[in-house]
Amino acid sequence: MKIILHSSFRPTKHAFAFLILSLCFFCNKCFLLVAVSVVLEPILHDETAALESVAATAGSVKTESDPDSGKTSFIESLSSAGRKACPLCPEEKFKACYSHKLRRHLQNLHWKVYVEFEGHRMCICHLPCRQLKSSLSGDQVSRLAAHYHCVVCSVTIARKTDMISHLKRHVNKGETEASYTVPIGQAYEIMKELGTNVQLLPNHTTPQKSDTYFNRKMKTNRQLVFCSLAVLAEERSPLDCLDAFGATGIMGLQWAKHLRSAVKVTINDINESCVKMIRENCRLNHIRVESSRGPRHTDVAGDVEGVPIASVEVVKMDANVIMHLRPFDYIHLDPFGTAVNYLDAAFRNVRNLGIVSITSTDTGTLYSKALNVTLRHYGCHIVRTEYYKELAARMVVATVARAAARCNKGIEVLLAVALEHFVLVVVRVLRGPTQADEAVKKIRQLVHCQWCEERVFLRAGNMVEENLYRQLPCNCQGSMPGKTAVELGPLWAGPLFNTGFLRRMLFAAVQHSMDDIQALVKTLICESECTTLKSFVHGASSHANQVECGVVIKTLKKEDKSSVDQSGKRKMSDESGTVLKKVKSEALLEHPPFYYSIHRHSIRGMNMPKLNKFLQYLTEAGFRVSRTHFDPTGVRTDASLSQFKSVLTKYSVPTYTGGQDWEEIKPSTHTKIARG
């Protein structure tokens, strides 16, 4: 809420227009952190009129703890006569005194070192607003450091120069309003996504500054995770699902609200504020909150008016601890940054044929912007390439495969998506040391040419190669001086998609009216098959079975009456066996790794063909080809780079200039094609 007060003392003429003071307290009714912005304005009129305006202002404000109360104790302490305490200092630092001494204290200590931003002047604060850091012995440090409160995101910063730099970053992002102050009577913002309502704090968009962080740009990620869970729910039911990092709880609430009895949802978070917010959101969506042992939760926030549509379990625990203690069928990890610290615990207790989905938001590390952090977190050497997004996805999968192998488990990659804000990897867990060995064998090193950006995975084996350049299809080493290639990895060399799983995800997206991701899933299906044909996407028979590792996983679909005889036994025909063999052989045909950017390999002075036309030309030349979601201008194909360039050169049109003739340009064009 926002309370505007007139102070009872008169500052000097060169004093500030007003003072922003951010105070935090816990509301007794809803146990939520409320930010109160107190604005103190200098008095330019008589003190009697000022006191009357204070009384009128205080009487018009109603607090959330007591809506019928008029003045608060804090307002009365400022407007009353006699000794007054400093609103910016603790009582042990500055004791209550008369107004003239308090005026000098405010001017010399607080107002002297202010930071001005968009008409607001932020004075230094000595209150214990910052969270105390624990020492090595476990005791909290009792030293109170002076700090500033940002009027945009409510973060506390100690240095004045750091606060100025922080405000400049807000200006560059276009954030110039005090977003953490909210109108009277509206403490939260209600947001609706996929039929689920959640309450958001005013500073929910700033990570590490808000306990209940919520990112609207991750909607695609949440829908992909939901579809993967819906596919698993068709195989067996009910499922024990875990959202290890709940925050606002929107992902777990969507699972429970739409899948109902097919899932048993557990939402976990280690922060107490997040747990309380999750319980409030459960009440908002008419979902019952259960305790960790099964009976209904007796808290006021968990009570639901009317008949609850579903039930979830809300747990306050460390993510590693809860994954070590309890087994789950589906685990979703979405921490702030990298998820490598939680992979061992996730694969420790996950059930056989269960699914683990990992969302990594440390895009600076994954997209080759901080190579030292990449080596420290993922143990991988990478450089910036044209296919850097797929490189990031294969790096995350390799890290996941090694973590699963340490628990004697293998993985089958169902989905790997790398977009602007995140990298999502969905894997199925296969128990047994044999499956773990098969998964580890798919982790290899990559040789990348820095001149032409040709790449190839090194052959399996531990024998030392005399010359690694021989494995590269290009001849840049012979024509260029010095070393031209680098060795990257270790990376995942297997497929990144499972066609059967993606088709069922598309069916789930259509069933739950997720129009935003249907085009993306269709692109993933074409990319997994490495084809441009989309007619097979909507086939009715494609949702019946799913092929993984040569094994057909049957879903909970009703059997066709024609396939069952009168005795109740299932008919076995030659056609079904032939179809099964065809499906297994098609599953072994993996999509080619990596892709080429048509803009990166364009010829200077030539106009390239349209991308769809170029895909048709590559198909006519006998190559497998498809578009990729990693890059809108990328082409995934099994052709080598020289073959890719020759087709591109053949169908490129020269750029005409005013002073040149076609006869002058034509011989040079033929020369370029011959060289390619």
Side-chain angles (χ1 to χ4, degrees), residues 190-193 195-199 253 257 281-282 284-285:
I190 304 298
M191 197 278 306
K192 187 174 183 179
E193 181 181 297
T196 305
N197 298 320
V198 290
Q199 294 179 352
L253 295 177
K257 194 167 186 178
N281 291 332
C282 289
L284 188 63
N285 292 276

PDB file of all heavy atoms in Angstrom, residues 190-193 195-199 253 257 281-282 284-285:
ATOM      1  N   ILE A 190      -3.316 -10.743 -10.154  1.00  0.00           N
ATOM      2  CA  ILE A 190      -3.870 -12.039 -10.522  1.00  0.00           C
ATOM      3  C   ILE A 190      -3.559 -12.288 -11.994  1.00  0.00           C
ATOM      4  O   ILE A 190      -3.903 -11.480 -12.858  1.00  0.00           O
ATOM      5  CB  ILE A 190      -5.380 -12.107 -10.266  1.00  0.00           C
ATOM      6  CG1 ILE A 190      -5.677 -11.781  -8.803  1.00  0.00           C
ATOM      7  CG2 ILE A 190      -5.919 -13.484 -10.623  1.00  0.00           C
ATOM      8  CD1 ILE A 190      -5.062 -12.741  -7.821  1.00  0.00           C
ATOM      9  N   MET A 191      -2.895 -13.412 -12.280  1.00  0.00           N
ATOM     10  CA  MET A 191      -2.541 -13.777 -13.643  1.00  0.00           C
ATOM     11  C   MET A 191      -3.159 -15.140 -13.956  1.00  0.00           C
ATOM     12  O   MET A 191      -3.151 -16.036 -13.115  1.00  0.00           O
ATOM     13  CB  MET A 191      -1.019 -13.830 -13.786  1.00  0.00           C
ATOM     14  CG  MET A 191      -0.510 -13.797 -15.226  1.00  0.00           C
ATOM     15  SD  MET A 191      -0.532 -15.383 -16.062  1.00  0.00           S
ATOM     16  CE  MET A 191       0.407 -16.391 -14.928  1.00  0.00           C
ATOM     17  N   LYS A 192      -3.677 -15.292 -15.160  1.00  0.00           N
ATOM     18  CA  LYS A 192      -4.323 -16.533 -15.573  1.00  0.00           C
ATOM     19  C   LYS A 192      -3.576 -17.119 -16.755  1.00  0.00           C
ATOM     20  O   LYS A 192      -3.322 -16.437 -17.746  1.00  0.00           O
ATOM     21  CB  LYS A 192      -5.790 -16.280 -15.950  1.00  0.00           C
ATOM     22  CG  LYS A 192      -6.579 -17.554 -16.236  1.00  0.00           C
ATOM     23  CD  LYS A 192      -8.046 -17.247 -16.457  1.00  0.00           C
ATOM     24  CE  LYS A 192      -8.845 -18.533 -16.663  1.00  0.00           C
ATOM     25  NZ  LYS A 192     -10.286 -18.261 -16.859  1.00  0.00           N
ATOM     26  N   GLU A 193      -3.228 -18.406 -16.642  1.00  0.00           N
ATOM     27  CA  GLU A 193      -2.533 -19.120 -17.712  1.00  0.00           C
ATOM     28  C   GLU A 193      -3.040 -20.551 -17.752  1.00  0.00           C
ATOM     29  O   GLU A 193      -2.991 -21.275 -16.753  1.00  0.00           O
ATOM     30  CB  GLU A 193      -1.020 -19.089 -17.487  1.00  0.00           C
ATOM     31  CG  GLU A 193      -0.221 -19.797 -18.571  1.00  0.00           C
ATOM     32  CD  GLU A 193       1.266 -19.770 -18.316  1.00  0.00           C
ATOM     33  OE1 GLU A 193       1.832 -18.663 -18.297  1.00  0.00           O
ATOM     34  OE2 GLU A 193       1.863 -20.846 -18.115  1.00  0.00           O
ATOM     35  N   GLY A 195      -6.023 -21.670 -17.860  1.00  0.00           N
ATOM     36  CA  GLY A 195      -7.131 -21.878 -16.959  1.00  0.00           C
ATOM     37  C   GLY A 195      -6.774 -21.918 -15.492  1.00  0.00           C
ATOM     38  O   GLY A 195      -7.603 -22.291 -14.662  1.00  0.00           O
ATOM     39  N   THR A 196      -5.554 -21.526 -15.136  1.00  0.00           N
ATOM     40  CA  THR A 196      -5.090 -21.553 -13.756  1.00  0.00           C
ATOM     41  C   THR A 196      -4.772 -20.140 -13.306  1.00  0.00           C
ATOM     42  O   THR A 196      -4.013 -19.424 -13.977  1.00  0.00           O
ATOM     43  CB  THR A 196      -3.842 -22.436 -13.621  1.00  0.00           C
ATOM     44  OG1 THR A 196      -4.135 -23.740 -14.150  1.00  0.00           O
ATOM     45  CG2 THR A 196      -3.430 -22.571 -12.167  1.00  0.00           C
ATOM     46  N   ASN A 197      -5.332 -19.717 -12.185  1.00  0.00           N
ATOM     47  CA  ASN A 197      -5.100 -18.390 -11.627  1.00  0.00           C
ATOM     48  C   ASN A 197      -4.009 -18.455 -10.571  1.00  0.00           C
ATOM     49  O   ASN A 197      -4.001 -19.355  -9.724  1.00  0.00           O
ATOM     50  CB  ASN A 197      -6.380 -17.829 -11.005  1.00  0.00           C
ATOM     51  CG  ASN A 197      -7.488 -17.669 -12.028  1.00  0.00           C
ATOM     52  OD1 ASN A 197      -7.242 -17.251 -13.152  1.00  0.00           O
ATOM     53  ND2 ASN A 197      -8.705 -18.005 -11.649  1.00  0.00           N
ATOM     54  N   VAL A 198      -3.098 -17.495 -10.612  1.00  0.00           N
ATOM     55  CA  VAL A 198      -2.039 -17.410  -9.609  1.00  0.00           C
ATOM     56  C   VAL A 198      -1.906 -15.956  -9.173  1.00  0.00           C
ATOM     57  O   VAL A 198      -2.090 -15.022  -9.967  1.00  0.00           O
ATOM     58  CB  VAL A 198      -0.687 -17.923 -10.140  1.00  0.00           C
ATOM     59  CG1 VAL A 198      -0.704 -19.416 -10.333  1.00  0.00           C
ATOM     60  CG2 VAL A 198      -0.295 -17.211 -11.427  1.00  0.00           C
ATOM     61  N   GLN A 199      -1.578 -15.766  -7.896  1.00  0.00           N
ATOM     62  CA  GLN A 199      -1.299 -14.447  -7.359  1.00  0.00           C
ATOM     63  C   GLN A 199       0.191 -14.169  -7.482  1.00  0.00           C
ATOM     64  O   GLN A 199       1.020 -15.027  -7.176  1.00  0.00           O
ATOM     65  CB  GLN A 199      -1.718 -14.369  -5.893  1.00  0.00           C
ATOM     66  CG  GLN A 199      -3.205 -14.491  -5.658  1.00  0.00           C
ATOM     67  CD  GLN A 199      -3.551 -14.435  -4.184  1.00  0.00           C
ATOM     68  OE1 GLN A 199      -2.675 -14.456  -3.338  1.00  0.00           O
ATOM     69  NE2 GLN A 199      -4.834 -14.351  -3.885  1.00  0.00           N
ATOM     70  N   LEU A 253       0.038 -26.687 -10.229  1.00  0.00           N
ATOM     71  CA  LEU A 253      -1.407 -26.449 -10.224  1.00  0.00           C
ATOM     72  C   LEU A 253      -2.028 -26.773 -11.576  1.00  0.00           C
ATOM     73  O   LEU A 253      -3.154 -27.279 -11.648  1.00  0.00           O
ATOM     74  CB  LEU A 253      -1.698 -24.998  -9.838  1.00  0.00           C
ATOM     75  CG  LEU A 253      -1.319 -24.587  -8.415  1.00  0.00           C
ATOM     76  CD1 LEU A 253      -1.595 -23.109  -8.203  1.00  0.00           C
ATOM     77  CD2 LEU A 253      -2.075 -25.419  -7.400  1.00  0.00           C
ATOM     78  N   LYS A 257      -4.945 -29.523 -12.033  1.00  0.00           N
ATOM     79  CA  LYS A 257      -6.242 -29.006 -12.467  1.00  0.00           C
ATOM     80  C   LYS A 257      -6.725 -29.674 -13.746  1.00  0.00           C
ATOM     81  O   LYS A 257      -7.931 -29.862 -13.947  1.00  0.00           O
ATOM     82  CB  LYS A 257      -6.156 -27.493 -12.666  1.00  0.00           C
ATOM     83  CG  LYS A 257      -7.510 -26.810 -12.786  1.00  0.00           C
ATOM     84  CD  LYS A 257      -7.385 -25.310 -12.663  1.00  0.00           C
ATOM     85  CE  LYS A 257      -8.744 -24.636 -12.640  1.00  0.00           C
ATOM     86  NZ  LYS A 257      -8.639 -23.169 -12.465  1.00  0.00           N
ATOM     87  N   ASN A 281      -2.559 -19.842  -3.774  1.00  0.00           N
ATOM     88  CA  ASN A 281      -2.956 -20.119  -5.150  1.00  0.00           C
ATOM     89  C   ASN A 281      -3.794 -21.389  -5.246  1.00  0.00           C
ATOM     90  O   ASN A 281      -4.657 -21.507  -6.122  1.00  0.00           O
ATOM     91  CB  ASN A 281      -1.716 -20.231  -6.035  1.00  0.00           C
ATOM     92  CG  ASN A 281      -1.020 -18.899  -6.215  1.00  0.00           C
ATOM     93  OD1 ASN A 281      -1.641 -17.844  -6.161  1.00  0.00           O
ATOM     94  ND2 ASN A 281       0.287 -18.923  -6.413  1.00  0.00           N
ATOM     95  N   CYS A 282      -3.541 -22.354  -4.368  1.00  0.00           N
ATOM     96  CA  CYS A 282      -4.389 -23.549  -4.330  1.00  0.00           C
ATOM     97  C   CYS A 282      -5.819 -23.181  -3.938  1.00  0.00           C
ATOM     98  O   CYS A 282      -6.788 -23.679  -4.524  1.00  0.00           O
ATOM     99  CB  CYS A 282      -3.809 -24.568  -3.353  1.00  0.00           C
ATOM    100  SG  CYS A 282      -2.281 -25.360  -3.903  1.00  0.00           S
ATOM    101  N   LEU A 284      -7.175 -20.330  -4.390  1.00  0.00           N
ATOM    102  CA  LEU A 284      -7.729 -19.532  -5.482  1.00  0.00           C
ATOM    103  C   LEU A 284      -8.267 -20.408  -6.610  1.00  0.00           C
ATOM    104  O   LEU A 284      -9.215 -20.031  -7.297  1.00  0.00           O
ATOM    105  CB  LEU A 284      -6.652 -18.582  -6.016  1.00  0.00           C
ATOM    106  CG  LEU A 284      -7.069 -17.522  -7.032  1.00  0.00           C
ATOM    107  CD1 LEU A 284      -8.065 -16.550  -6.410  1.00  0.00           C
ATOM    108  CD2 LEU A 284      -5.847 -16.772  -7.547  1.00  0.00           C
ATOM    109  N   ASN A 285      -7.665 -21.595  -6.813  1.00  0.00           N
ATOM    110  CA  ASN A 285      -8.073 -22.502  -7.892  1.00  0.00           C
ATOM    111  C   ASN A 285      -8.933 -23.658  -7.393  1.00  0.00           C
ATOM    112  O   ASN A 285      -9.131 -24.629  -8.141  1.00  0.00           O
ATOM    113  CB  ASN A 285      -6.824 -23.057  -8.590  1.00  0.00           C
ATOM    114  CG  ASN A 285      -6.071 -21.998  -9.361  1.00  0.00           C
ATOM    115  OD1 ASN A 285      -6.396 -21.694 -10.504  1.00  0.00           O
ATOM    116  ND2 ASN A 285      -5.054 -21.415  -8.744  1.00  0.00           N
TER     117      ASN A 285
END
